[in-house]
Amino acid sequence: AHSGCVHWTFDGETATRSAVNIAPLPPGSPARLAAYFGDDSANYYAVDAESGRLLWKVRVHPHKYARITGSAKVYRGTIYVPVSALELVVAADRNYECCTFSGAVVALDARDGHVLWSTPVLPPARAHRRSDVGTQLYGPAGASVWNSPTIDEKLQRLYVGTGNSETEIEVPRSDAIVAMDLRS
């Protein structure tokens, strides 16, 4: 902090746009403090904040275009990770079967990264029509979670804002604030 000297660096698998959270690890962990962050391939990392050594890495969402841009929330040994995607970028290709991604929140154990729960914002996408060039189109889709979750300790709830729908199928949980049970 006094000199600006670089003590270590860490290169993730892909670009990182999310903020880095520094938090103490639970007792018995292989490090005292961890730096937590996500990347553009929906990987979430825990790195020893003192040495830069990778503690664990987990892919939090299976969709090909899923990514993590919002800052996760670390709370009482759990990391609440917001998941977004860039599926609309590839949807410019008229042959791409758009769109199937749903925004989500994934809760990870801070000690080892295992998934405690994963909640999509939208129901699973289904085939609903063909485009003017015959490409199968799906929906509902979208409602990315771009922002950092907010925790209400008293009510034990997690709140997230969601993005737009990526199809013409209207869904009540896009462009919305969604509440989830903190434990499940």
Side-chain angles (χ1 to χ4, degrees):
H2 297 290
S3 68
C5 174
V6 175
H7 290 277
W8 58 264
T9 62
F10 179 85
D11 289 326
E13 186 176 306
T14 61
T16 298
R17 288 187 44 194
S18 71
V20 177
N21 287 295
I22 306 291
L25 280 159
S29 298
R32 193 171 61 83
L33 293 169
Y36 298 107
F37 57 93
D39 72 13
D40 278 352
S41 291
N43 295 309
Y44 205 77
Y45 300 83
V47 174
D48 183 325
E50 295 175 278
S51 70
R53 179 177 55 92
L54 178 66
L55 299 172
W56 51 260
K57 175 182 111 177
V58 62
R59 182 162 168 88
V60 298
H61 199 284
H63 196 280
K64 181 177 181 177
Y65 297 107
R67 64 194 307 212
I68 301 165
T69 56
S71 176
K73 189 70 72 181
V74 182
Y75 176 73
R76 294 189 177 176
T78 301
I79 306 164
Y80 299 94
V81 181
V83 185
S84 58
L86 280 181
E87 189 172 26
L88 279 181
V89 172
V90 295
D93 175 354
R94 293 170 50 100
N95 295 312
Y96 178 72
E97 295 184 342
C98 190
C99 288
T100 58
F101 173 79
S102 169
V105 175
V106 180
L108 304 175
D109 185 304
R111 179 187 320 270
D112 58 14
H114 80 266
V115 175
L116 300 171
W117 56 261
S118 179
T119 300
V121 174
L122 302 177
R126 297 182 318 269
H128 77 93
R129 71 176 179 88
R130 294 206 172 263
S131 73
D132 59 345
V133 295
T135 304
Q136 181 64 61
L137 300 178
Y138 294 84
S144 285
V145 181
W146 299 101
N147 61 327
S148 181
T150 298
I151 292 175
D152 181 330
E153 289 185 275
K154 183 178 178 184
L155 295 177
Q156 290 294 289
R157 289 192 183 141
L158 181 87
Y159 299 97
V160 295
T162 64
N164 59 295
S165 173
E166 294 179 354
T167 68
E168 67 269 11
I169 298 173
E170 295 205 21
V171 288
R173 285 175 269 162
S174 70
D175 302 295
I177 296 173
V178 177
M180 299 177 183
D181 184 282
L182 200 56
R183 296 168 298 262
S184 63

